[in-house]
Amino acid sequence: MVAENLVNTERRMLKAMLVDSGKNWTLDEILDSCNWQDQAVAVGAGQGLANKGYAEVNEVVSTEVRLASQGESAMNEGLLEARLWQWFKSTDEATMANMQQSFEKHEAGPGIGLLKKLGITMETGKFTCADEAMVEETISARQKFLSDLPSKVSDLDQQLLEQFKSRRNFIELVDSTSRTWTLTKSGSQVKVGDLVETTMVNEITPELLQSDEWRDVDFRSFDVTLESATPRTGRSHPMQSLIERIRHIFLEMGFSELVEDYVQTAGWNMDALFIPQDHPAREMQDTFYLDNPKSMPLPDDIMETWSDIHRTGGETGSTGWGGEFSKETSQKGLLRTHTTVNTIQYLAANPEKACRMFTVDRVFRKEAIDRTHLPEFHQIEGIIMEEGANLQMLVTTLKTFYEKMGYPEVRVRPAYFPYTEPSLEIEVKWRGKWLELGGAGIFRPEVTEPLGIKYPVLAWGMGLERLAMLVLGLDDIRQLYISDLEWLRNQPLI
Ligand code: PHE
């Protein structure tokens, strides 16, 4: 059937137009024949018929003049000059003082000017009019002008139009489109019998599905290729959405989230992780040390433990780093350089209970800003501490995570961190290249034994922004944080 793809309003309109298939239909005629009140319905149906090739829309844009607020009140209360004229004619004393008594100040003021322009002038203290007929004619022309509104600009007296344009808020000019519709050839060939209105469903509801009614109804078809305006609504920043997605993945994999401060001591950020006190990454040029708090007191016993481990290896069988250990250095305040500072404290507080923890949070390093570096960025950190945890499990966990993120090709390569053995680098394949996304490993005895940690600890720390670059296809990390609204609006849902 020809008209199968038509919605009911289109069927009705087409049917109405077929009564006189050569006619150019106006909006009013369509509304009338279709028995509609709402012109939007007619315009929508007409557009639908046009999109499907049954009708042609002829649009004429014209400027319409409408009453504005002052014009409306002039229509309700009378035009000021008309009221002034009434007063002039009925008073015996057409003096200024009398007028000021009969009219309020905001009318009396402009009133004088209006009268003057109409040819009513002041002579020896009284208003006098030379040509009364002319004044009446002018006033009634003005009244008629207003009462004829709304009208098309082209239908109006241009002089009066200018006159009212110069008066504040009397009239406004609005562009309006008027449409007429004609049938196309294929429109005029449709058979009226094919245009029966049916019950069309344009929304699939749970009720409909449950009731079995869906078997017998007609579904409205939508043309998803048509142009439409994209609604501008608020949405999460892509980084926030990405963090949410990562959270979900880890929660789904049985991890719990750890959220901690980023102001920390060098002791927990480095010493606890067996990073030697003379390690280059601890230098001022790599780490943001704080002026306030410049130092944060740490319990002496924990610093003694680190001191032993660092100098001699303590009782772990390690030889340590040798040299001196400074407790003052341990107590320095800094902005954490990695989220491992928080996992290690969690383990110190819960050394015996098997756990799976993750963190997605901010870290700070003194990096010069460039295409791939920022001084503030985020790490995706995680640990698994449980009996029998091993390297295989670590690699599988990381692979599973990236697979869930949509990157199934993951490989690990040997690496070095002072606190893990073995240590790995994690790489993901993206557009044919292997990209390094983070580090991982199993915590060394120098880290775990002094804290009384019972089981092996698998740990990793990965860059969130690096991953975001892959997900969003960026080659400049700065794009993530420059608040470029146009770019933000066009980002895919993550
Ligand atoms: N903390 C390391 C980094 O900042 C990553 C890491 C975490 C490595 C845990 C091994 C184990 O790059």
Side-chain angles (χ1 to χ4, degrees):
M1 193 164 82
V2 195
E4 194 150 78
N5 61 348
L6 297 185
V7 299
N8 281 342
T9 50
E10 294 163 357
R11 290 179 192 207
R12 189 182 299 191
M13 180 159 164
L14 181 51
K15 196 169 161 185
M17 290 172 79
L18 281 166
V19 172
D20 185 351
S21 58
K23 183 177 157 70
N24 190 15
W25 292 76
T26 65
L27 179 64
D28 285 337
E29 289 164 342
I30 294 288
L31 289 176
D32 206 39
S33 311
C34 295
N35 202 10
W36 285 330
Q37 259 75 49
D38 186 353
Q39 47 172 294
V41 176
V43 173
Q47 193 55 49
L49 289 175
N51 291 340
K52 291 161 191 164
Y54 296 123
E56 224 166 82
V57 192
N58 318 298
E59 292 192 343
V60 183
V61 181
S62 58
T63 309
E64 197 180 74
V65 182
R66 295 185 192 162
L67 287 175
S69 58
Q70 287 298 315
E72 300 261 11
S73 44
M75 285 300 289
N76 295 333
E77 291 145 29
L79 199 57
L80 178 56
E81 51 267 49
R83 287 186 286 122
L84 286 164
W85 182 244
Q86 285 290 317
W87 164 80
F88 176 80
K89 297 250 291 193
S90 57
T91 182
D92 313 327
E93 288 270 330
T95 62
M96 183 78 87
N98 195 346
M99 182 178 100
Q100 276 163 345
Q101 264 192 349
S102 309
F103 288 87
E104 281 185 43
K105 213 169 174 183
H106 72 272
E107 295 191 322
I112 299 168
L114 276 171
L115 289 177
K116 201 169 163 199
K117 282 202 191 117
L118 287 168
I120 300 163
T121 47
M122 201 57 159
E123 263 167 49
T124 58
K126 269 192 163 188
F127 289 108
T128 51
C129 176
D131 185 348
E132 296 203 354
M134 159 89 161
V135 173
E136 287 193 350
E137 203 176 302
T138 310
I139 290 174
S140 64
R142 286 185 192 173
Q143 284 171 322
K144 179 164 183 329
F145 180 94
L146 291 183
S147 62
D148 281 348
L149 298 184
S151 269
K152 286 195 185 135
V153 165
S154 51
D155 293 345
L156 291 167
D157 179 297
Q158 298 304 301
Q159 232 175 336
L160 283 171
L161 178 62
E162 288 312 310
Q163 203 267 332
F164 281 112
K165 263 201 213 165
S166 68
R167 293 169 76 164
R168 261 188 91 207
N169 287 335
F170 256 77
I171 53 169
E172 58 189 3
L173 274 65
V174 186
D175 280 340
S176 71
T177 309
S178 68
R179 299 179 179 79
T180 56
W181 294 269
T182 44
L183 288 179
T184 58
K185 193 153 173 259
S186 62
S188 57
Q189 283 165 355
V190 176
K191 301 225 167 22
V192 174
D194 288 344
L195 293 172
V196 181
E197 289 179 41
T198 53
T199 315
M200 283 238 203
V201 172
N202 52 20
E203 209 180 340
I204 299 174
T205 59
E207 290 78 9
L208 182 71
L209 293 177
Q210 279 160 13
S211 72
D212 251 21
E213 257 173 54
W214 59 270
R215 291 179 194 278
D216 305 317
V217 298
D218 280 338
F219 290 99
R220 165 155 186 205
S221 61
F222 290 92
D223 185 350
V224 292
T225 64
L226 286 180
E227 289 248 356
S228 69
T230 308
R232 291 259 154 103
T233 55
R235 54 182 292 187
S236 295
H237 191 284
M239 285 307 276
Q240 198 53 48
S241 318
L242 184 61
I243 291 174
E244 287 307 322
R245 184 158 157 212
I246 292 166
R247 273 202 182 115
H248 277 116
I249 293 178
F250 278 114
L251 292 172
E252 198 177 278
M253 289 167 71
F255 284 75
S256 304
E257 186 169 4
L258 185 65
V259 183
E260 281 295 343
D261 289 345
Y262 45 71
V263 172
Q264 294 287 347
T265 55
W268 282 110
N269 193 82
M270 292 132 173
D271 298 331
L273 291 161
F274 198 50
I275 300 174
Q277 287 199 322
D278 60 0
H279 193 286
R282 298 178 65 139
E283 300 286 320
M284 284 285 283
Q285 59 267 32
D286 288 298
T287 303
F288 288 108
Y289 287 98
L290 298 171
D291 282 338
N292 183 16
K294 204 167 183 59
S295 167
M296 289 190 278
L298 285 169
D300 208 52
D301 56 344
I302 188 77
M303 290 193 288
E304 276 302 326
T305 314
W306 294 336
S307 173
D308 276 355
I309 298 278
H310 279 242
R311 285 182 297 109
T312 66
E315 281 152 34
T316 61
S318 161
T319 55
W321 298 112
E324 291 304 306
F325 184 89
S326 154
K327 293 183 185 172
E328 199 188 318
T329 299
S330 290
Q331 295 177 90
K332 277 188 187 168
L334 50 71
L335 294 180
R336 68 177 169 212
T337 61
H338 53 182
T339 37
T340 319
V341 65
N342 300 116
T343 33
I344 194 63
Q345 285 173 89
Y346 177 85
L347 289 171
N350 305 277
E352 301 200 338
K353 215 171 126 228
C355 67
R356 292 175 165 227
M357 306 299 294
F358 80 97
T359 295
V360 188
D361 220 338
R362 200 183 303 196
V363 298
F364 307 83
R365 289 180 199 172
K366 267 196 178 170
E367 304 273 11
I369 296 180
D370 65 23
R371 217 172 49 74
T372 50
H373 293 91
L374 292 171
E376 264 188 65
F377 56 102
H378 293 76
Q379 284 190 325
I380 310 165
E381 178 96 15
I383 46 164
I384 296 178
M385 191 259 272
E386 62 190 43
E387 201 173 354
N390 58 28
L391 191 64
Q392 171 75 45
M393 195 166 158
L394 174 61
V395 176
T396 311
T397 305
L398 295 172
K399 280 196 166 162
T400 308
F401 169 73
Y402 282 111
E403 205 166 285
K404 283 174 184 275
M405 283 303 303
Y407 300 94
E409 286 190 78
V410 179
R411 72 175 185 190
V412 293
R413 304 205 307 158
Y416 172 78
F417 299 101
Y419 37 96
T420 47
E421 178 61 36
S423 302
L424 312 171
E425 240 160 42
I426 312 149
E427 294 186 333
V428 165
K429 195 153 194 189
W430 186 64
R431 296 188 181 164
K433 276 193 297 190
W434 289 102
L435 296 178
E436 199 225 302
L437 288 189
I442 302 178
F443 278 157
R444 293 175 70 97
E446 288 92 331
V447 175
T448 52
E449 279 183 26
L451 299 176
I453 293 169
K454 213 164 158 190
Y455 308 117
V457 181
L458 316 177
W460 58 88
M462 303 174 297
L464 173 69
E465 280 78 0
R466 289 278 171 91
L467 182 59
M469 287 172 78
L470 303 199
V471 174
L472 301 171
L474 298 179
D475 53 17
D476 192 327
I477 200 167
R478 291 168 287 198
Q479 183 69 42
L480 294 170
Y481 296 113
I482 58 174
S483 303
D484 172 348
L485 279 183
E486 201 47 40
W487 179 79
L488 286 169
R489 280 185 188 127
N490 291 320
Q491 287 318 291
L493 292 176
I494 291 174

